[in-house]
Amino acid sequence: MRNAREFNFDGLVGPSHNYAGLSFGNVASFNNVRSASNPRQAALQGLAKMRALAARGFAQGLLPPQARPNFRLLRRLGFSGTDADVLAQAYRESPVILACAYSASPMWTANAATVSPSADTADGRVHFTAANLNNKLHRAEEHVQATRTLRALFANPDRFVVHDPLPSTPAFGDEGAANHTRFASAHGASGVEFFVYGRVEFDPSAPAPVKYPARQTLEASQAVARLHGLDAARTVFASQNPAVIDQGVFHNDVIAVGNGNVLFYHDQAFADEAATLDLLRRALGVTGTDLRAVRVDTGVVPVADAVASYLFNSQLLSKLDGGMALVVPHECRETATVARYLEQLVASGGPIDELIEFDLRQSMRNGGGPACLRLRVVLTDAEAAAMHQGVLMTEDLYARLVPWVERHYRDRVEPKDLADPQLAIECAAALEDLERILGLPGLYDLA
């Protein structure tokens, strides 16, 4: 077993952070549609989280925001003229399309890609597959910059492989790491990769939700596993419970989270709970590891409270001194059933023995909690040294990014502001400056 650490790459919130309510099936996003956002506060909240976790000794990096507005999308859809003309025409004729071009959703980097560490892959390299996110127009373009960014950060072909996204068709709907978890006795050990899907394209008789769309297909998960060269004996596919998708659990990471040999999950998470646990235990047995399942009963925390608080959309982190910490948003303390449960959880003597709480209100109101904000990448020491160092969180980087945010970000964005050509100019200027700060010239194609 090689020495390895789990790096969490949080999405740096972009300067056009706004509440467009574009994500049907995401209850929090819909509840705050068209309200005013605070991009400056959102970015500073995210940076404070990254800094605090890095200070605790957790390996922490960031993924830069994507360029917004997406003028290429707008022009492909028939809006023409100068940039200002394009924005004005889109706002006048289809404000929803304009909101899609301004989507803030790339901040949730759990959807950027699926990642398999070198300990699990046939060729001994770290594999990334950028998610196609084809279920929603506002996200379906993200894979272009996500792939470009991942290839800039993980450029060494001897250590890393960044695959193109899967074909952008319903059969291969892929939402990335939000539906993927890895279990292992240690980060550097061979592990079990766990894929959760919401529907099966080629089997109409398979369970599926009826109210909200299932965004991840079995076919996509299987394709990613093949691309990454995973061992079938250490790969598990499980169906999400369609009934909880219809209650706003649009990704598995809204109802379950795993780390090490621990699965923290709601009893309604999976279509067949017993079979899913049995498959995980069998696969982990191949590695000589026992599964520790921490089950939350519906009678203790109803699904609605789990969704409102994002209890499971948390980070489960292995602490340097042993034990595990659960990183939760303030909303967990503000939801009575969840607050009571967490007090009991930490006192229970189980594997989760600490809570770390953050104010992520701006992200939460847009539909994403701590788990949405981060992409987990397990790296050996040599792999960590081979990646681009400019995105790793340090006190120096934090000290440079805070004034950058204060210089470039507005403290209020309303729906009407998306038609303001000055906002687009401000966003481009911010990203040009960010390229210099992160040492990534040419990261964006801003032409």
Side-chain angles (χ1 to χ4, degrees):
M1 180 178 70
R2 293 172 294 179
N3 185 46
R5 302 176 70 194
E6 180 184 80
F7 286 72
N8 282 275
F9 289 86
D10 282 33
L12 178 57
V13 179
S16 63
H17 170 69
N18 68 97
Y19 298 140
L22 298 168
S23 193
F24 181 64
N26 182 329
V27 176
S29 173
F30 253 49
N31 285 346
N32 293 293
V33 61
R34 301 185 67 79
S35 59
S37 63
N38 187 330
R40 183 182 301 164
Q41 185 181 62
L44 293 176
Q45 286 174 348
L47 284 170
K49 170 181 174 290
M50 290 184 245
R51 181 196 192 193
L53 291 177
R56 282 282 304 266
F58 298 110
Q60 180 68 58
L62 64 84
L63 289 186
Q66 296 199 8
R68 292 292 181 269
N70 185 340
F71 280 111
R72 284 185 175 81
L73 172 64
L74 292 172
R75 293 182 186 280
R76 288 212 322 270
L77 296 178
F79 303 107
S80 60
T82 66
D83 286 352
D85 293 336
V86 166
L87 295 174
Q89 184 185 4
Y91 184 71
R92 183 174 63 252
E93 298 180 10
S94 184
V96 173
I97 292 178
L98 178 60
C100 288
Y102 256 117
S103 169
S105 59
M107 65 193 279
W108 298 311
T109 58
N111 301 122
T114 303
V115 187
S116 295
S118 55
D120 294 353
T121 62
D123 64 5
R125 295 184 290 175
V126 183
H127 283 246
F128 303 78
T129 295
N132 59 33
L133 297 167
N134 65 14
N135 189 262
K136 300 281 185 273
L137 172 61
H138 71 284
R139 304 213 67 175
E141 294 275 304
E142 290 179 27
H143 65 82
V144 176
Q145 183 63 53
T147 302
R148 185 183 181 112
T149 298
L150 290 170
R151 286 176 175 160
L153 301 186
F154 303 99
N156 186 329
D158 295 328
R159 302 285 184 182
F160 311 113
V161 183
V162 180
H163 299 278
D164 289 333
L166 301 179
S168 190
T169 66
F172 294 102
D174 180 21
E175 302 275 319
N179 295 303
H180 172 263
T181 303
R182 179 178 187 261
F183 300 96
S185 59
H187 292 312
S190 296
V192 169
E193 303 214 10
F194 179 44
F195 295 83
V196 179
Y197 58 91
R199 66 182 182 87
V200 184
E201 174 75 10
F202 299 139
D203 181 4
S205 68
V210 296
K211 179 180 180 182
Y212 292 139
R215 305 184 188 186
Q216 183 82 26
T217 67
L218 171 61
E219 292 82 0
S221 298
Q222 291 171 330
V224 170
R226 286 192 294 269
L227 286 169
H228 292 195
L230 302 183
D231 183 344
R234 295 185 287 109
T235 306
V236 175
F237 303 96
S239 173
Q240 191 174 357
N241 181 356
V244 299
I245 296 176
D246 281 337
Q247 294 178 69
V249 181
F250 53 100
H251 291 136
N252 180 62
D253 68 2
V254 180
I255 202 73
V257 61
N259 175 59
N261 68 335
V262 174
L263 173 64
F264 178 53
Y265 75 105
H266 194 277
D267 66 5
Q268 299 296 308
F270 308 111
D272 189 331
E273 179 188 4
T276 298
L277 295 180
D278 183 61
L279 288 170
L280 286 173
R281 289 191 175 104
R282 289 171 181 263
L284 275 166
V286 173
T287 71
T289 305
D290 293 326
L291 177 70
R292 300 188 70 179
V294 180
R295 181 182 195 258
V296 181
D297 293 336
T298 303
V300 176
V301 178
V303 171
D305 288 358
V307 173
S309 64
Y310 272 15
L311 167 62
F312 297 97
N313 195 244
S314 53
Q315 292 176 253
L316 189 54
L317 303 176
S318 298
K319 298 191 292 183
L320 298 180
D321 58 356
M324 291 189 188
L326 191 69
V327 178
V328 299
H330 279 341
E331 284 77 0
C332 284
R333 178 165 46 83
E334 296 166 353
T335 305
T337 58
V338 173
R340 284 195 299 270
Y341 171 76
L342 288 175
E343 287 182 7
Q344 297 167 3
L345 175 69
V346 173
S348 69
I352 303 171
D353 58 9
E354 182 184 359
L355 299 179
I356 303 176
E357 183 180 324
F358 288 106
D359 179 2
L360 299 170
R361 194 82 70 189
Q362 286 290 315
S363 177
M364 289 286 289
R365 294 188 70 207
N366 219 11
C372 286
L373 283 165
R374 61 91 175 96
L375 182 68
R376 295 184 284 189
V377 184
V378 171
L379 299 172
T380 65
D381 293 343
E383 290 158 356
M387 68 160 286
H388 179 70
Q389 304 296 297
V391 295
L392 297 180
M393 182 53 61
T394 63
E395 280 297 311
D396 177 67
L397 180 58
Y398 179 81
R400 299 177 70 192
L401 287 175
V402 167
W404 169 78
V405 169
E406 293 171 341
R407 185 164 62 248
H408 290 289
Y409 283 49
R410 298 185 180 189
D411 61 9
R412 184 178 179 87
V413 169
E414 300 180 39
K416 65 180 177 60
D417 295 326
L418 304 187
D420 179 8
Q422 184 58 36
L423 178 60
I425 293 170
E426 293 168 10
C427 291
L431 297 189
E432 288 176 1
D433 199 9
L434 184 63
E435 286 180 332
R436 291 189 290 272
I437 292 172
L438 300 181
L440 289 167
L443 177 64
Y444 302 104
D445 182 5
L446 296 173

